Amino acid sequence: MLAALAVHVPATARVTVLETWEYEVADDGPAADAGQAGRFVSGAPLGKVPGALAQGVTYGPFRVIDDSHAALLGITDDRSPAQFAAMLRDYPGIATLEMIECPGTFDDIANLQLGRMIRAAGIATRVPRGGSVRSGAVELFLAGANRTIEDGASFAVHAWEDDSGLQANDYPASAPENRKYIAYYREMGMSAQQAQAFYAMTNSVPFEEARWLSAREMSGWVRFGPVPAYSLPARSQAARRLAHAPGVALAPFSPKEHPQGQGEERAPRLAYLDLAALLH
């Protein structure tokens, strides 16, 4: 399937790229742990991203654009919190996460942890024209201390499914499996009523399908307005805290720098779900 993606790299990079690339999905990837839920809608691998964004230092699915901007270009997993913390350790000035090609997550628990880390660091999230944020990546967009959606961005949601084949609606609303999402949305600024409504909307389609939202539709779920100011020292302090947070192991990880077209990727297992046929 072919798709055109227009990506505006921040002004400091002075690059605008319009390029066409092909979606590819492989059948190897991280195995699911017991009790782990994963959600993604498949798309472009890390090595197929346009122009300037296909170069530079990578930390898992994160790619550094410049000293104040990074991009999310891939599926998150259980290693992503440590990779994100390592990126902030090395680039504490990063203030904006450009969400370019974001299919979702292999690990919802780690994904929610990552979202809390984004908020704690005071990082803004931005979906440019042509950007795609799907499935579990929507939680990461909501984590932005300031959130921006450009016209032409797209979003997709669907229910999660655990390793037992059970989905959100198979559990009581009061079950911990459901309450953890409501609690997360509350932390991200939604009222109790808004959190319940948003969660119900995401679960209005089963795991095997996807509900697509335009930039305008998604904007209706996001509260825009004044947000606390996060200074560079505050972000640096957050980076140091995150780098030493319990359960975030940085020692085995080191960043990689890839020339164009040679990015490393971990493609999704088909055992989770491949919705490439539903992409538009």
Side-chain angles (χ1 to χ4, degrees), residues 125-172:
T125 52
R126 174 178 173 271
V127 189
R129 181 177 180 84
S132 181
V133 176
R134 311 188 291 278
S135 197
V138 172
E139 273 76 38
L140 302 183
F141 169 72
L142 294 176
N146 191 8
R147 296 164 287 197
T148 302
I149 303 173
E150 290 194 352
D151 289 342
S154 63
F155 297 79
V157 298
H158 63 139
W160 52 263
E161 182 177 87
D162 63 22
D163 65 323
S164 300
L166 298 178
Q167 300 184 21
N169 293 329
D170 294 319
Y171 290 92

Side-chain angles (χ1 to χ4, degrees), residues 4-47:
L5 177 64
V7 178
H8 175 65
V9 181
T12 53
R14 295 189 180 89
V15 176
T16 301
V17 177
L18 179 61
E19 192 166 310
T20 301
W21 33 259
E22 184 175 357
Y23 290 109
E24 295 180 1
V25 177
D27 61 0
D28 58 343
D33 294 327
Q36 172 181 306
R39 290 175 296 150
F40 70 81
V41 178
S42 58
L46 194 57

Side-chain angles (χ1 to χ4, degrees), residues 68-259:
S68 60
H69 295 81
L72 179 57
L73 298 157
I75 301 174
T76 66
D77 58 26
D78 61 315
R79 302 170 301 174
S80 298
Q83 293 162 342
F84 178 77
M87 181 177 69
L88 289 191
R89 176 195 61 197
D90 297 341
Y91 294 88
I94 287 176
T96 301
L97 182 64
E98 302 282 343
M99 304 191 72
I100 308 296
E101 168 58 24
C102 312
T105 186
F106 285 122
D107 187 330
D108 263 2
I109 300 300
N111 198 61
L112 296 181
Q113 179 189 2
L114 177 59
R116 291 182 170 100
M117 294 169 72
I118 291 171
R119 176 58 64 89
I123 291 176
T125 52
R126 174 178 173 271
V127 189
R129 181 177 180 84
S132 181
V133 176
R134 311 188 291 278
S135 197
V138 172
E139 273 76 38
L140 302 183
F141 169 72
L142 294 176
N146 191 8
R147 296 164 287 197
T148 302
I149 303 173
E150 290 194 352
D151 289 342
S154 63
F155 297 79
V157 298
H158 63 139
W160 52 263
E161 182 177 87
D162 63 22
D163 65 323
S164 300
L166 298 178
Q167 300 184 21
N169 293 329
D170 294 319
Y171 290 92
S174 59
E177 291 82 358
N178 285 316
R179 286 192 289 108
K180 66 187 179 189
Y181 294 97
I182 300 299
Y184 179 85
Y185 299 142
R186 295 294 310 277
E187 290 177 40
M188 298 305 129
M190 293 185 183
S191 68
Q193 183 177 6
Q194 289 169 333
Q196 292 283 355
F198 183 79
Y199 189 52
M201 185 273 292
T202 66
N203 290 310
S204 64
V205 292
F207 177 73
E208 298 82 5
E209 300 177 14
R211 175 171 177 172
W212 289 91
L213 303 172
S214 66
R216 181 186 294 272
E217 290 170 322
M218 187 64 192
S219 294
W221 290 101
V222 178
R223 184 180 65 183
F224 296 96
V227 296
Y230 292 84
S231 64
L232 179 57
R235 289 197 297 270
S236 298
Q237 292 172 9
R240 287 195 292 272
R241 289 197 304 270
L242 295 174
H244 296 91
V248 177
L250 301 184
F253 178 77
S254 61
K256 295 186 178 181
E257 186 163 0
H258 300 294

